Amino acid sequence: MTEKQLSGEVYYPSEEILKNANAKCQKLYSFAEKDYLGFWESEASNLNWFKKWDKVLDDSNKPFFQWFINGKTNIAYNCLDVHCENFRRNKIALFWEGENGDIRSFSYFALRRDTCRFANVLKSMGVNKGDRVTIYMGRIPEAIIAMLACARIGAIHSVVYGGFSVEALHERLEDSQSKVLIVADGAFQRGKIVELKKIADEALQRAATVESVLVVKRTGQEINMEFGRDMWYHELMHLPIASSRCDIEVMDAEDPLFLLYTSGTTGKPKAILHTHGGYMVGTYATCKYVFDIHEEDRFWCTADPGWITGHSYVVYGPLLNGATSFIYEGAPTYPYPNRWWQMIEKYGINILYTAPTAIRGFMRFGDAWVKRNNLSSLRLLGSVGEPINPEAWKWYYKVVGGERCPIMDTWWQTETGMFMITSMPCTPLKPGSGTKPFPGLQVDIVDEGGNSVNTNDEGYLVIKTPWPAMLRTIWNNPDAYVQQYWSKFPGMYMTGDSARRDEDGYYWIIGRVDDVIKVSGYRLGSAEIESALVSHPSVAEAAAIGLPHEVKGNAIHAFIILRTGYEKTDKLIEDLKQHVGHEVGPIAKPEQIEVVDSLPKTRSGKIMRRVLKAHALGIDPGNISTLEE
Ligand code: PRX
């Protein structure tokens, strides 16, 4: 990357950033370009294995790739024990602030101790290697302890975002056939209590496989505890079964680590499967190089553990690197719009990783709220979840980062497990571009025929080389894995995004090309919202689309056909919004619901959401030759 040749508006890293960066960019890129398996192997060698792998990649059964063949390890061992055995026993692994001002912190020693104790509790509930455990909590340390405890004993965790509601939780419990549910009584959000246990009770009425429910006391309100099924976490943790000695389950590199449900083009959310070995190597290396983790850093990824960003960059990536990770329970602007900035100052956060929707939300309150606090500890910033518009990028860079902190715009997905297209501290930045593929990855933009498009032309974003943290399959549905990701362009992983590449080889993500809607960076499927709507007695048919929104990026707009006997009233529309909130979760509530007489469909009966979107935006719908008369 020779600086002067880059086109457009470019921000170059300072000498100081360059001097200290872990990633010596050119070296890393050229090593990985020459020998991408060698690159991943050298990263894997920095971690601890009970038995070394025989081979780095097995691609004999594409697209079911396998990594670190016959290697034996355990990600939780690498997150905790390794640091306790070495020099980080007393280092803070995790510190936390509740929305109500509660504070807790865990050294690596304490986090391992509590993880072991809880792992023993799980064992005593009959949880064995390969069993599924669902975790449904707010952003509290116990969510992380529960994840690590599962990993330690080889159980597969399935974290369900605490913002999801009854039906979403029920579906995930059923599909994963979870044996145990770990839930909090509630979570604090904007000064109110989200009644998680109450939602869980409703979801559990139809979840046949759950034998035990372990309840963490966070908010303390009166809740229902079902005798013989529900037990308090704090009581169990004080029983003799909760010993702080717990042997580590030796896991094959390819053994499952977790399921995480995400929305796709059709039907219900699918469970993406990640493994102990490859996922560990991918999150370790990307976190180290992109966020340039140094020993004294305090790292804050604002994501919820219920999303992939929380899994990879709140929990696993930072802990694998022996870093200090901060989590905050509540709403960003509660009680005042400078809550985040106060905490950055108070705790001396060095690296802040968040989403464009949060940045846009803060921009609305003006610079003065940010400037009230001293943010000079910040060294690096990050962005994820959706394209960051250049205006928000510049505000983030200038007002939050004081024009000294490079912004790591990280493009990736639940499925990729780790950063795929991203800047590194040494990369010259262009606002709004994720810059280049991470070393060791071959990314391309192709047309309908699978051929690379010309510079600056829009096309499908695809990945042409396997990578260690890639999803291995869709749980219980390998055919859907092949169909959804590998069938449109044989030999290429289809991301579902469109993008263009400029004359400097920089990637610019445009957005989803399927029926996935990104609302405030959260991923929702049109189909989920539509099925929630038609589950209401008044709705015969429904279509949901995303339309641009100043803060959320996209907002959901729904079109419905009412059943005979129902009339459009303001009350009915409000009831329908509440109904979607109850079924899926508050984030899925439509911004607007329009009652229509018919919906545009293809002759085979598929709703043409693209036509609805064009109509709503007042733009040309493009090719409508398949539209029904
Ligand atoms: O459309 C892309 C968008 O988020 C999608 C993946 O969503 P999810 O699986 O929920 O994971 C989000 C966090 C990794 C992608 O297909 N996306 C994610 N990061 C970016 C982005 N779009 C543009 N720029 C990004 N940095």
Side-chain angles (χ1 to χ4, degrees):
M1 270 178 248
T2 32
E3 299 179 4
K4 286 184 195 71
Q5 290 160 357
L6 297 180
S7 64
E9 192 176 8
V10 185
Y11 291 67
Y12 293 96
S14 66
E15 282 305 317
E16 193 170 343
I17 291 279
L18 282 176
K19 192 173 80 206
N20 293 322
N22 281 327
K24 304 298 171 208
C25 273
Q26 280 311 349
K27 252 179 151 170
L28 213 59
Y29 284 112
S30 50
F31 170 26
E33 203 172 315
K34 274 191 223 113
D35 178 10
Y36 85 98
L37 292 180
F39 169 72
W40 289 119
E41 182 159 37
S42 78
E43 292 306 323
S45 306
N46 293 327
L47 295 156
N48 282 258
W49 298 74
F50 304 121
K51 178 187 168 294
K52 202 184 161 189
W53 52 91
D54 300 332
K55 195 176 168 198
V56 178
L57 172 70
D58 180 354
D59 58 1
S60 59
N61 184 25
K62 292 175 188 151
F64 296 93
F65 297 93
Q66 299 202 321
W67 283 83
F68 307 108
I69 312 305
N70 291 328
K72 306 287 176 205
T73 188
N74 183 309
I75 195 169
Y77 173 72
N78 277 284
C79 284
L80 299 174
D81 299 65
V82 167
H83 306 305
C84 289
E85 284 155 20
N86 295 317
F87 59 95
R88 296 192 182 106
R89 199 171 100 103
N90 292 324
K91 178 173 173 174
I92 297 175
L94 187 70
F95 62 121
W96 169 84
E97 186 167 307
E99 194 183 72
N100 61 350
D102 289 351
I103 292 170
R104 289 163 73 194
S105 62
F106 295 79
S107 64
Y108 272 93
F109 172 81
L111 194 60
R112 178 175 66 163
R113 179 198 60 214
D114 284 8
T115 298
C116 286
R117 290 168 66 197
F118 191 57
N120 280 320
V121 168
L122 289 175
K123 278 188 183 173
S124 75
M125 300 288 144
V127 176
N128 294 313
K129 181 176 176 179
D131 286 341
R132 274 79 60 210
V133 172
T134 294
I135 300 169
Y136 181 60
M137 288 195 234
R139 281 186 292 272
I140 53 174
E142 285 78 4
I144 295 171
I145 291 169
M147 289 165 78
L148 293 165
C150 288
R152 187 172 190 93
I153 61 172
I156 304 170
H157 60 71
S158 163
V159 185
V160 178
Y161 172 54
F164 278 134
S165 203
V166 178
E167 194 46 39
L169 175 61
H170 167 247
E171 272 171 18
R172 286 156 175 80
L173 286 168
E174 282 279 296
D175 186 75
S176 62
Q177 304 267 291
S178 284
K179 205 171 191 176
V180 171
L181 169 67
I182 308 161
V183 62
D185 54 352
F188 288 115
Q189 266 294 326
R190 282 185 199 84
K192 298 201 182 91
I193 290 173
V194 182
E195 299 208 58
L196 296 172
K197 176 63 167 54
K198 200 168 161 201
I199 296 170
D201 282 338
E202 226 183 294
L204 282 164
Q205 282 170 11
R206 289 170 290 137
T209 58
V210 177
E211 294 166 12
S212 317
V213 178
L214 313 183
V215 189
V216 175
K217 188 175 264 190
R218 166 64 189 129
T219 41
Q221 81 279 17
E222 201 54 42
I223 56 163
N224 162 55
M225 291 291 281
E226 194 167 307
F227 183 73
R229 186 196 69 181
D230 301 355
M231 281 153 279
W232 285 108
Y233 174 95
H234 61 270
E235 287 178 1
L236 294 166
M237 289 287 269
H238 285 100
L239 295 179
I241 46 159
S243 152
S244 61
R245 280 193 58 170
C246 175
D247 289 342
I248 294 149
E249 191 72 39
V250 175
M251 304 298 284
D252 188 88
E254 283 295 309
D255 276 337
L257 168 65
F258 66 82
L259 303 179
L260 189 56
Y261 287 81
T262 193
S263 304
T265 310
T266 53
K268 293 179 176 173
K270 321 246 177 327
I272 301 301
L273 179 87
H274 284 290
T275 56
H276 270 255
Y279 175 82
M280 172 173 81
V281 175
T283 51
Y284 160 76
T286 47
C287 194
K288 175 176 66 174
Y289 291 126
V290 176
F291 284 123
D292 200 28
I293 303 282
H294 290 280
E295 202 55 59
E296 294 307 315
D297 282 339
R298 294 181 155 202
F299 175 71
W300 182 15
C301 165
T302 64
D304 191 282
W307 299 93
I308 191 67
T309 312
H311 281 59
S312 300
Y313 300 105
V314 172
V315 185
Y316 291 112
L319 294 178
L320 288 166
N321 278 284
T324 295
S325 201
F326 173 65
I327 51 170
Y328 164 61
E329 178 184 40
T333 52
Y334 186 85
Y336 301 111
N338 67 332
R339 179 66 187 264
W340 275 20
W341 320 125
Q342 273 176 338
M343 292 187 295
I344 289 173
E345 176 174 352
K346 179 174 170 189
Y347 298 114
I349 303 293
N350 307 104
I351 304 159
L352 173 69
Y353 182 36
T354 191
T357 184
I359 305 298
R360 291 191 296 261
F362 285 121
M363 274 172 82
R364 286 202 310 183
F365 292 104
D367 303 5
W369 279 105
V370 189
K371 292 186 171 154
R372 278 171 180 230
N373 294 96
N374 175 0
L375 305 186
S376 60
S377 59
L378 287 175
R379 188 184 83 239
L380 220 61
L381 302 172
S383 174
V384 63
E386 54 177 322
I388 180 163
N389 40 313
E391 197 197 343
W393 193 101
K394 286 180 203 166
W395 186 86
Y396 192 26
Y397 183 77
K398 196 168 156 222
V399 182
V400 178
E403 298 186 65
R404 67 176 187 280
C405 308
I407 299 176
M408 305 298 104
D409 185 351
T410 62
W411 177 91
W412 59 297
Q413 307 177 300
T414 307
E415 292 87 341
T416 69
M418 60 176 228
F419 304 146
M420 300 299 281
I421 298 174
T422 177
S423 36
M424 290 203 269
C426 47
T427 314
L429 306 171
K430 298 189 188 190
S433 167
T435 75
K436 301 210 167 186
F438 187 78
L441 300 172
Q442 217 191 321
V443 177
D444 202 0
I445 299 173
V446 299
D447 60 19
E448 280 292 337
N451 306 306
S452 301
V453 299
N454 292 328
T455 299
N456 280 319
D457 281 355
E458 184 177 342
Y460 296 98
L461 183 70
V462 295
I463 299 159
K464 292 179 160 173
T465 33
W467 63 101
M470 65 197 301
L471 77 163
R472 295 302 192 266
T473 189
I474 291 175
W475 179 249
N476 279 340
N477 203 345
D479 292 346
Y481 166 68
V482 177
Q483 169 61 30
Q484 203 164 314
Y485 303 106
W486 300 94
S487 64
K488 187 167 172 80
F489 305 114
M492 301 180 208
Y493 168 86
M494 159 90 177
T495 64
D497 279 13
S498 66
R500 68 180 177 86
R501 191 172 35 207
D502 72 12
E503 45 285 355
D504 299 318
Y506 275 44
Y507 285 76
W508 299 77
I509 307 296
I510 295 162
R512 299 289 307 191
V513 283
D514 52 13
D515 291 317
V516 168
I517 310 174
K518 284 250 137 183
V519 181
S520 301
Y522 295 122
R523 180 166 161 180
L524 294 162
S526 298
E528 285 162 77
I529 298 149
E530 290 160 5
S531 54
L533 282 166
V534 295
S535 73
H536 190 276
S538 67
V539 179
E541 279 191 75
I545 58 168
L547 291 181
H549 184 279
E550 203 189 329
V551 175
K552 298 178 183 173
N554 294 290
I556 294 165
H557 287 242
F559 299 83
I560 54 164
I561 302 177
L562 288 176
R563 283 185 192 281
T564 348
Y566 286 91
E567 290 229 340
K568 180 190 164 187
T569 60
D570 290 349
K571 164 131 190 359
L572 178 64
I573 298 295
E574 193 45 44
D575 284 353
L576 286 170
K577 288 183 184 174
Q578 294 302 336
H579 178 71
V580 177
H582 180 263
E583 291 286 297
V584 187
I587 45 163
K589 268 191 203 168
E591 192 89 353
Q592 217 181 10
I593 299 180
E594 201 175 317
V595 177
V596 293
D597 295 329
S598 65
L599 290 168
K601 288 185 187 163
T602 61
R603 278 176 214 108
S604 59
K606 210 171 162 265
I607 294 170
M608 292 183 81
R609 300 189 185 95
R610 170 170 67 80
V611 174
L612 283 170
K613 195 164 177 170
H615 167 76
L617 294 172
I619 58 170
D620 178 11
N623 183 353
I624 50 166
S625 58
T626 55
L627 191 67
E628 201 183 32
E629 281 307 304

